[in-house]
């Protein structure tokens, strides 16, 4: 938040409201215009020193070339800064000294000598009031307390210059708008110079106890001349000029001069509302400056934009020129103020930024249709009432029913003012079949038994072993021996499939030769099954042996006869929970007998 008080200096006033020397520095305080150009440096205020802070000796042989000195005293606590407004083609420097003695200036507390290569309108302390954030001619804010005295040196390298202006700024003028600076340093009967707007009522009051008479004079640039007929203690002023009063007393005369400056009030023109489709691009508020100013000189007026009418009136909380838009209607309040006097302003106008609602694909890009269902609904089932919809099928509703796999395009549109905003989106319909388990590959007879489930089609599936949580992988590790159930679930809601399988362990071969190594063959894990029966066959399908929980091993004999070295097969069955006997599937039921 900023509150700015402007003090302007123009060369068309002949009264010397400017001083080239520190000892005669012009005292200034709030709401005081100080006007004129500068064309000398008077005496050397630095006693032939080579430098003072950032300022160094110039071609004049001194630190100063064309200088102006001011002094001010703080009367409040807070953040203080100032802006020096100059011609963008001229080179100005400044130094600020915290002291009450010109003979003991010390080092400046703020100093800037950088040239104006960027052609900025201002240099100073705090923030550039035009919103330029990278102005290298600005120094940090001051933090002040009451009673601090400062001397300000403003210096120009040009022998001819167009003058400058000084404006105070900072949070201190929010908390203390009328007494941030101490005007008691100005010892003048008519008071400090007066900055007024063209419609203001200005009355100079020279009332003095014991006065014998009053004479009023005016200086329009060619010296003071008496205003005939004005002999009262006060004078109503209607025009910018330098005024003098002579108060005649028995003990002598009092002479007091004052500068009165009337600044024209700016006028803000009406602005057209602006319409936009929703996007992340910021709106440049300064792009409507010319519309606001009309034929008025953009170098004489500052245009700012605000969120509220109150802020526009006070000049507080100006918006950044790069303004982030938001969906809906936002009212922007406009303030046009004079660079010469910020009290002269117009805050009568506003305009609207109207931004469409964001058009987003708030519905699935892919929709799955189960093969057992005739059609699916695609599109936005919570549509915006301000939107219209047009599908590639020719339908114009927010949602449509489709039955054929493929891509469907929808154009969603909305209007703001005369502007139409559109976005195009695609939705793909995929026909999804119920999962069908084709194989359960079991890698058992090892420390880490693993199982891999295969399905007829690739789908958006999840997999579960027994009562464990579902997982995205079709492989299960560390599967214990015994009977298990694997379930495949379609994530699109098109059903599931389950299979029961058995993990057992058996050797791939045995050699019943009486050496005590691999003399018998059997299946590990039978005890995990209910009433298991294991039948062993030769290659011709002849039943050779039956094993169960009571007889769990085969020694290679059939009716007492050693069977030859060959390949053999087995079949495992067990009872389900409902009492039915089932044959275990997915078991690699082949092994070998070696002699």
């Amino acid at each position: 938040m900023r509150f700015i008080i402007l003090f302007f200096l123009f060369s068309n006033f002949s009264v010397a409201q400017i001083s080239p020397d520190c000892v005669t520095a012009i005292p200034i305080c709030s709401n005081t215009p100080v006007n004129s150009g500068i064309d000398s440096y008077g005496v050397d205020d630095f006693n032939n020193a080579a430098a003072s802070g950032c300022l160094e000796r110039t071609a004049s042989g001194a630190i100063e070339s064309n200088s102006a000195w001011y002094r001010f005293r703080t009367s409040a606590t807070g953040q203080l800064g100032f802006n020096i407004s100059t011609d963008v083609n001229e080179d100005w420097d400044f130094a600020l000294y915290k002291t009450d003695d010109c003979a003991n200036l010390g080092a400046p507390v703020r100093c800037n000598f950088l040239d104006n290569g960027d052609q900025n309108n201002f240099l100073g302390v705090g923030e550039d009031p035009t919103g330029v954030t990278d102005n290298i001619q600005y120094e940090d804010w001051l933090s002040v307390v009451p009673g601090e005295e400062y001397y300000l040196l403003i210096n120009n390298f040009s022998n001819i210059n167009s003058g400058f202006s000084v404006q105070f700024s900072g949070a201190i003028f929010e908390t203390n708008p009328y007494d941030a600076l101490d005007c008691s340093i100005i010892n003048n009967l008519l008071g400090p110079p007066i900055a007024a707007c063209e419609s203001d009522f200005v009355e100079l009051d020279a009332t003095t106890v014991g006065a014998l008479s009053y004479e009023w004079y005016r200086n329009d640039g060619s010296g003071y001349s008496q205003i005939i007929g004005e002999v009262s203690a006060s004078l109503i002023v209607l025009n910018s000029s330098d005024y003098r009063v002579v108060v005649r007393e028995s003990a002598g005369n009092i002479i007091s001069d004052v500068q009165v400056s009337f600044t024209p009030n700016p006028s803000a023109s009406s602005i057209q509302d602006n319409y936009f489709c929703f996007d992340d691009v910021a709106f440049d508020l300064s792009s409507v400056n010319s519309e606001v100013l009309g034929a008025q000189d953009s170098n004489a007026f500052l245009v700012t934009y605000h969120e509220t009418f109150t802020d526009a009136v006070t000049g507080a909380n100006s918006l950044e020129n790069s303004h982030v838009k938001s969906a809906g209607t936002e009212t922007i309040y406009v303030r046009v103020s004079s660079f010469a006097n910020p009290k002269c302003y117009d805050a009568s106008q506003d305009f609207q930024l109207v931004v469409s609602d964001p058009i987003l694909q708030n519905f699935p890009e892919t929709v799955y249709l189960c093969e057992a269902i005739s059609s699916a609904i695609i599109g936005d089932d919570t549509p915006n009432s301000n939107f219209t919809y047009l599908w590639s099928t020719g339908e114009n509703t927010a949602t449509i029913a489709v039955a054929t796999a493929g891509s469907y395009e929808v154009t969603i549109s909305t209007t703001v003012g005369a502007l139409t905003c559109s976005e195009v989106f695609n939705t793909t319909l995929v026909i999804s079949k119920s999962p069908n388990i084709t194989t359960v590959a079991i890698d058992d007879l090892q420390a880490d038994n693993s199982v891999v489930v295969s399905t007829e089609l690739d789908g958006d599936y999840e997999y579960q072993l027994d009562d464990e949580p579902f997982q995205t992988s079709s492989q299960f590790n560390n599967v214990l021996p015994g009977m298990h159930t694997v379930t495949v679930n379609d994530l699109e809601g098109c059903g599931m499939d389950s299979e029961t399988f058995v993990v057992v362990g058996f050797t791939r071969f045995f050699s019943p030769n009486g050496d005590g190594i691999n003399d018998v063959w059997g299946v590990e894990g039978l005890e995990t099954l209910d009433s298991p029966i294991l039948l062993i066959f030769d290659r011709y399908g002849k039943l050779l042996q039956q094993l169960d929980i009571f007889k769990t091993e085969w020694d290679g004999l059939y009716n007492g006869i050693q069977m030859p070295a060959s390949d053999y097969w087995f079949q495992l069955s067990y009872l389900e929970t409902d009492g039915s006997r089932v044959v275990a599937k997915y078991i690699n039921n082949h092994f070998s007998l070696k002699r």
Side-chain angles (χ1 to χ4, degrees), residues 265-279:
N265 287 312
S267 175
S269 301
S270 60
I271 309 104
Q272 295 292 321
D273 294 335
N274 287 261
Y275 297 88
F276 302 91
C277 295
F278 182 88
D279 56 34

Side-chain angles (χ1 to χ4, degrees), residues 206-287:
T207 299
T208 303
V209 176
L212 300 176
S213 65
Y214 298 89
E215 296 173 4
W216 291 92
Y217 297 81
R218 174 175 171 176
N219 181 1
D220 291 327
S222 57
Y224 283 101
S225 59
Q226 187 173 2
I227 306 173
I228 303 303
E230 296 292 346
V231 293
S232 66
S234 62
L235 175 69
I236 296 176
V237 175
L238 301 176
N239 301 106
S240 296
S241 190
D242 302 319
Y243 293 86
R244 171 176 291 174
V245 66
V246 177
V247 182
R248 300 193 184 279
E249 297 179 301
S250 57
N253 297 335
I254 299 174
I255 300 175
S256 179
D257 297 339
V258 71
Q259 177 185 334
V260 179
S261 175
F262 287 94
T263 301
N265 287 312
S267 175
S269 301
S270 60
I271 309 104
Q272 295 292 321
D273 294 335
N274 287 261
Y275 297 88
F276 302 91
C277 295
F278 182 88
D279 56 34
D280 295 328
V281 179
F283 176 64
D284 183 7
L285 290 171
S286 66
S287 65

Side-chain angles (χ1 to χ4, degrees), residues 3-10 29-35 85 122 164-168 193-200 202 240 259-266 299-302 313-314 335-346:
F3 187 98
I4 300 173
I5 303 171
L6 294 179
F7 300 83
F8 272 73
L9 286 79
F10 294 107
C29 67
S30 60
N31 300 320
T32 303
V34 183
N35 305 310
S85 176
F122 292 92
F164 59 91
S165 64
V166 178
Q167 60 178 344
F168 285 96
I194 298 172
C197 300
E198 60 185 353
S199 58
D200 290 349
V202 175
S240 296
Q259 177 185 334
V260 179
S261 175
F262 287 94
T263 301
N265 287 312
N299 292 319
F301 301 102
L302 175 66
V313 170
T314 61
R335 174 188 172 95
V336 182
S337 57
S338 169
F339 278 126
N341 185 349
K343 294 187 301 180
C344 308
Y345 70 92
D346 182 4

Side-chain angles (χ1 to χ4, degrees), residues 2 127-134 302 318 320-321:
R2 299 196 299 269
E127 296 178 358
D128 187 327
T130 64
V132 177
T133 58
D134 57 354
L302 175 66
S318 60
E320 297 288 341
N321 281 334

Side-chain angles (χ1 to χ4, degrees), residues 116-127:
N116 192 17
D118 295 330
Q119 292 195 322
N120 292 307
N121 292 293
F122 292 92
L123 70 157
V125 169
E127 296 178 358

Side-chain angles (χ1 to χ4, degrees), residues 490-567:
D490 184 90
L491 290 174
E492 307 306 325
C494 292
M496 59 177 59
D497 190 22
S498 298
E499 282 286 354
T500 300
F501 64 92
V502 175
V503 174
V504 295
F506 62 91
T507 58
R508 304 303 180 188
F509 68 90
F510 75 115
S511 55
N513 53 16
D515 61 359
I517 301 174
N518 294 329
D519 284 335
V520 295
W521 179 90
V523 173
E524 298 178 7
L526 287 181
E527 70 279 2
T528 64
L529 305 177
D530 185 5
S531 304
I533 296 177
L534 190 145
L535 305 177
I536 300 174
F537 303 89
D538 63 13
R539 62 171 46 184
Y540 304 107
K542 181 178 180 180
L543 177 62
L544 303 179
Q545 182 67 55
Q546 175 176 314
L547 302 180
D548 53 31
I549 58 174
F550 301 107
K551 181 176 176 59
T552 59
E553 298 176 333
W554 182 42
D555 56 6
L557 300 177
Y558 175 65
N559 291 334
I561 300 173
Q562 290 185 353
M563 299 305 296
S566 183
D567 292 330

